[in-house]
Amino acid sequence: KAGVTQTPRYLIKTRGQQVTLSCSPISGHRSVSWYQQTPGQGLQFLFEYFSETQRNKGNFPGRFSGRQFSNSRSEMNVSTLELGDSALYLCASSLRDGGNIQYFGAGTRLSVL
Amino acid sequence: KNQVEQSPQSLIILEGKNCTLQCNYTVSPFSNLRWYKQDTGRGPVSLTIMTFSENTKSNGRYTATLDADTKQSSLHITASQLSDSASYICVVSAQGYSTLTFGKGTMLLVSP
């Protein structure tokens, strides 16, 4: 069974640009969560989608948005990029929301210059 | 405020030695606690998941313990190998919520 796939793996953008990251969950998983990981803050929760609906949202500005499609694939968008948005963005999928084990993708490394 | 604190921040041990990583949490009401291993440049991989009623759980050379009364967990690694070099992250889930509270991790380096 294929794991969680995130594309692209690496991305370089400049300040003010926007970026879209993609996540394909494990087949059959309906919950997708997004996290930002930086050396100083560790992993921080961005948002979670379940059956195309955003179920929870972390404490990030409105420049960070996401969506989930009917096939459970998810995208995350960051507009008006800032230097501080440079981070590893991780996507995790699980069968359901809540207490299920989450399976993480390898992440997208975003560098904002 | 829900928080997860891990100690030590980093640790260096010799190959073949044992080590124990600590996790203290204030998440309430408690649902479950997970330990993840994250290799450099990779996503986290689940090692163990424990609910309120479980005191200990093993996964090969990894053994996690949970004391729900003191809100503490530990991850014990036996006979360490070079491949154990990674960041170990403690994650706690609250009942009724879908979000998780992450610790900042312990960076373990196993030296030959």
Side-chain angles (χ1 to χ4, degrees):
Chain A
K1 191 183 242 188
V4 178
T5 304
Q6 291 188 246
T7 56
R9 287 296 313 277
Y10 303 93
L11 207 47
I12 299 175
K13 293 285 187 179
T14 56
R15 279 183 299 174
Q17 287 187 308
Q18 75 159 19
V19 67
T20 299
L21 312 181
S22 179
C23 172
S24 293
I26 291 173
S27 178
H29 285 194
R30 296 170 63 189
S31 173
V32 173
S33 298
W34 287 91
Y35 299 89
Q36 181 195 66
Q37 187 176 36
T38 58
Q41 296 297 322
L43 273 160
Q44 292 184 286
F45 172 75
L46 281 157
F47 28 67
E48 179 197 11
Y49 287 88
F50 181 79
S51 294
E52 301 179 67
T53 302
Q54 187 180 89
R55 297 293 292 267
N56 290 287
K57 191 176 190 301
N59 189 26
F60 277 80
R63 300 185 296 107
F64 292 81
S65 63
R67 59 178 176 169
Q68 186 180 34
F69 302 95
S70 58
N71 60 359
S72 293
R73 190 178 71 85
S74 177
E75 286 183 349
M76 189 193 93
N77 185 274
V78 187
S79 62
T80 320
L81 283 166
E82 300 177 359
L83 295 179
D85 296 334
S86 295
L88 179 66
Y89 290 88
L90 290 161
C91 162
S93 77
S94 61
L95 277 172
R96 313 186 298 270
D97 59 344
N100 272 234
I101 287 183
Q102 292 184 317
Y103 296 87
F104 284 82
T108 293
R109 172 75 62 185
L110 172 65
S111 296
V112 182
L113 306 177
Chain B
K1 180 183 176 184
N2 289 337
Q3 284 189 313
V4 175
E5 300 286 339
Q6 290 187 245
S7 62
Q9 273 191 323
S10 60
L11 184 62
I12 303 174
I13 62 173
L14 289 175
E15 186 179 10
K17 297 295 186 183
N18 304 336
C19 68
T20 300
L21 315 180
Q22 300 290 345
C23 172
N24 296 338
Y25 62 92
T26 59
V27 176
S28 182
F30 176 85
S31 176
N32 61 69
L33 184 145
R34 312 155 192 224
W35 283 94
Y36 283 90
K37 176 187 178 189
Q38 185 175 19
D39 293 314
T40 302
R42 307 290 295 271
V45 174
S46 178
L47 292 175
T48 64
I49 179 170
M50 289 185 294
T51 59
F52 184 87
S53 59
E54 296 174 295
N55 299 118
T56 206
K57 186 166 274 190
S58 292
N59 179 358
R61 294 179 297 102
Y62 301 101
T63 299
T65 65
L66 174 65
D67 185 335
D69 291 331
T70 61
K71 297 187 178 181
Q72 295 179 324
S73 175
S74 65
L75 181 69
H76 186 74
I77 305 175
T78 304
S80 61
Q81 300 175 358
L82 297 179
S83 59
D84 292 332
S85 295
S87 179
Y88 291 84
I89 303 171
C90 176
V91 184
V92 183
S93 174
Q95 285 184 9
Y97 297 93
S98 299
T99 57
L100 308 173
T101 304
F102 288 80
K104 293 191 177 180
T106 292
M107 180 66 70
L108 173 66
L109 176 63
V110 180
S111 176

